[in-house]
Amino acid sequence: MTAPADAAETGNGHITGFGTKPYRSYVLIALTLIYTLNFIDRTVITVVAQPIINTFSLSDTQWGLLTGPPFALFYALMGIPIAMWADRGNRVFIISLCVVIWSVMTVFCGLAASFLWLLLFRVGVAIGEAGCTPPANSIITDYYPPKSRANAIGIYSMGVTIGGVMAQLFGGALAGLQGPDFGNFLASIGLGGLFSGINWEEVEGWRLVFVIVGAPGILVALILWLTTREPPRGYSDPKGKTPVEKAGFFEAFREFGAKPTFWTLSLGAAFVAFVGYGLISFQAPFLMRVHGVSVSEAAIRYGAPLAAVAAFGTFLGGFLSEKLSTRFPAVVAWLPGVGLLVAIPAYIAAFTTPSLTMAFWMWVIAAIAHYAYLGAQYTVSTAIVSPRSRATTVSVLLLIVSLIGNGLGPMFTGMMSSAFMGGIIRKNGLEEAFTTFNPGFCASRMAELGDLGPALCSAYAEGLRQSMVATVLFFVIAAAFYFLASRTFLKDRWSPAT
């Protein structure tokens, strides 16, 4: 692997990009794979949400806490120092190291003995994953010239939704495993002796999910480190004009902080994430409670296809932005707002219809329109600052998105679900029966809840349904911020002459 270069080289990098076209494609695919692993390990917990809720007897508020504020806080806090390191150090090494950290922490999630330990290991995942996107975006802008960045970053951003697909497929398939089955499999390949001290009868399927999906990341990190070249900073920007000094945080802050586009874009992306993380955290529980499907069916038959069409929406957003940019120069900033306004009625219809088939197809339309925003947040944020400040700019963007979106979204959806459920419980006079309510009995052991079991489980489902509808209405706020960003984007866009 070649040593990193700290200064932009003169030449035709702004036309050709860094390296050969096949090698650029390899690097983009490698980084997209890393981002995919990032979201597999981040979101697989939502696939097995209901089994974890049942194991630790969690309320929806507690589940929202587990998937929200602690993860978001540490993801945000670590993002800035790692990004500052990326603006100075070897970005390939930083990404590789962070992949190892989050992969190991994901494996540990499967070993958690209590709600508290699971919470702590999720924090570890957050710390590792904070070092993925800022340096990756910085590398892509040095590999690809300006005319190709929107599409390249759009492809990279597909890691979010591709990761969602893979999390659903692997998580759903593996969640159906039983401990003894996995123990027998290990014995059949000659590894049983290594785990002879484990009582496989007590190992739940959701624990195996974390261990199996987390471990491969360590190998992927090694391959990335050995095969990816660190590009010269600013190589693919117009020659002779690129400032290549390494910006400190406060210097970078002065650059992007003076751009109104950065703030409106960040708030728009944050409120999209508020809704997105809130919905994904409770997607599987919604399907299981409201429509009565199993954890594997919720993931494989519905979760995976929905994540796939969301990936298509991400690609479509980047593709349309690039194709329409000649006619509408600010399209990359306002197109997400249009998509969000289309997604609102589609999501509401999906959550309120009694037909699972109709719910699925309305959810498909909503997901395509929803995720068209994803590439825009990186394309716009990197376009308004100089090359030396891009990783730090993206890290601050992600800090805002993480604190508002990942931090508050799942918590809001969980708290509203508990609140709506509580209102239904009080309205129907079920308070006394609710004190001993165990949500794990709603699927196959409802008889153990007594005569009031159907009413309690109905309230459990209806509270979540109402909460999902309330959450999606925040798209109105997000769309407004994207339209505001489009009004200042052209003025704020960075050029070598500035």
Side-chain angles (χ1 to χ4, degrees):
M1 187 176 66
T2 61
D6 292 326
E9 299 176 9
T10 60
N12 295 321
H14 63 295
I15 298 173
T16 64
F18 180 70
T20 65
K21 185 175 181 179
Y23 185 71
R24 281 198 303 276
S25 299
Y26 165 76
V27 172
L28 180 60
I29 291 171
L31 292 174
T32 303
L33 174 60
I34 292 291
Y35 204 26
T36 299
L37 289 176
N38 182 297
F39 267 80
I40 291 176
D41 292 356
R42 183 185 308 189
T43 62
V44 74
I45 190 172
T46 66
V47 178
V48 290
Q50 197 62 49
I52 295 174
I53 291 171
N54 296 344
T55 294
F56 298 120
S57 298
L58 305 179
S59 67
D60 282 351
T61 298
Q62 289 176 304
W63 177 250
L65 172 65
L66 178 63
T67 56
F71 185 99
L73 180 62
F74 281 88
Y75 184 89
L77 288 176
M78 294 302 299
I80 292 178
I82 293 175
M84 292 175 65
W85 182 18
D87 278 334
R88 291 164 166 77
N90 187 305
R91 293 163 289 183
V92 176
F93 172 75
I94 293 169
I95 294 173
S96 302
L97 175 63
C98 289
V99 174
V100 172
I101 292 172
W102 88 57
S103 298
V104 171
M105 289 296 107
T106 299
V107 171
F108 284 174
C109 285
L111 309 178
S114 67
F115 170 73
L116 178 59
W117 277 111
L118 183 57
L119 185 64
L120 292 174
F121 291 142
R122 285 290 294 171
V123 167
V125 174
I127 292 172
E129 294 195 342
C132 176
T133 295
N137 274 274
S138 181
I139 288 175
I140 290 172
T141 59
D142 286 336
Y143 265 93
Y144 284 86
K147 67 178 182 179
S148 303
R149 285 178 191 163
N151 195 42
I153 293 177
I155 292 172
Y156 169 77
S157 299
M158 289 174 63
V160 173
T161 42
I162 295 174
V165 172
M166 302 306 289
Q168 297 287 341
L169 290 175
F170 288 130
L174 297 173
L177 283 177
Q178 300 297 319
D181 295 332
F182 190 68
N184 291 335
F185 167 75
L186 291 177
S188 69
I189 61 175
L191 298 178
L194 297 177
F195 306 94
S196 59
I198 296 178
N199 182 357
W200 291 105
E201 294 289 341
E202 298 178 357
V203 176
E204 297 162 287
W206 67 263
R207 298 183 182 277
L208 297 174
V209 170
F210 284 112
V211 174
I212 296 173
V213 303
I218 300 172
L219 177 61
V220 172
L222 179 62
I223 293 173
L224 180 77
W225 168 240
L226 294 176
T227 62
T228 303
R229 297 170 61 193
E230 174 77 4
R233 297 179 194 278
Y235 181 91
S236 297
D237 286 292
K239 61 181 179 180
K241 298 292 185 178
T242 303
V244 297
E245 308 87 35
K246 301 168 184 176
F249 173 77
F250 292 105
E251 186 178 355
F253 185 87
R254 283 194 296 270
E255 184 176 354
F256 66 74
K259 306 289 182 71
T261 304
F262 174 81
W263 301 108
T264 50
L265 169 78
S266 297
L267 289 171
F271 278 103
V272 177
F274 179 94
V275 176
Y277 282 112
L279 299 185
I280 194 63
S281 294
F282 288 90
Q283 176 177 289
F286 173 85
L287 290 167
M288 296 174 69
R289 297 179 200 177
V290 175
H291 295 289
V293 302
S294 67
V295 60
S296 295
E297 188 179 9
I300 296 173
R301 293 191 57 183
Y302 301 102
L306 288 172
V309 297
F312 173 72
T314 301
F315 171 78
L316 183 63
F319 177 80
L320 290 177
S321 293
E322 186 167 327
K323 292 299 181 182
L324 297 175
S325 61
T326 302
R327 184 175 180 184
F328 304 103
V331 64
V332 69
W334 59 254
L335 186 63
V338 175
L340 297 177
L341 294 181
V342 172
I344 293 171
Y347 269 131
I348 293 175
F351 300 147
T352 55
T353 180
S355 167
L356 180 55
T357 300
M358 178 62 71
F360 172 74
W361 287 110
M362 294 308 298
W363 214 323
V364 166
I365 295 172
I368 293 174
H370 171 179
Y371 284 95
Y373 89 99
L374 200 53
Q377 71 181 26
Y378 301 126
T379 303
V380 174
S381 63
T382 56
I384 62 176
V385 296
S386 59
R388 59 186 180 145
S389 300
R390 284 170 181 160
T392 300
T393 301
V394 171
S395 74
V396 176
L397 164 70
L398 292 180
L399 184 150
I400 297 170
V401 170
S402 184
L403 291 179
I404 295 176
N406 198 4
L408 300 180
M411 192 71 176
F412 174 84
T413 305
M415 291 177 65
M416 294 304 295
S417 178
S418 294
F420 283 130
M421 178 183 177
I424 297 170
I425 292 293
R426 290 189 295 273
K427 179 180 178 180
N428 293 293
L430 301 172
E431 295 93 327
E432 184 176 349
F434 181 66
T435 59
T436 58
F437 175 65
N438 186 332
F441 291 172
C442 285
S444 59
R445 302 169 60 185
M446 191 179 297
E448 298 183 39
L449 295 173
D451 295 339
L452 296 178
L456 290 169
C457 292
S458 176
Y460 189 49
E462 186 60 27
L464 181 54
R465 183 202 299 270
Q466 294 180 19
S467 177
M468 300 279 269
V469 171
T471 299
V472 81
L473 295 178
F474 281 85
F475 270 161
V476 174
I477 299 174
F481 279 119
Y482 274 107
F483 291 133
L484 288 174
S486 70
R487 298 182 65 181
T488 58
F489 172 58
L490 297 181
K491 177 182 177 182
D492 288 345
R493 188 162 52 182
W494 178 82
S495 67
T498 59

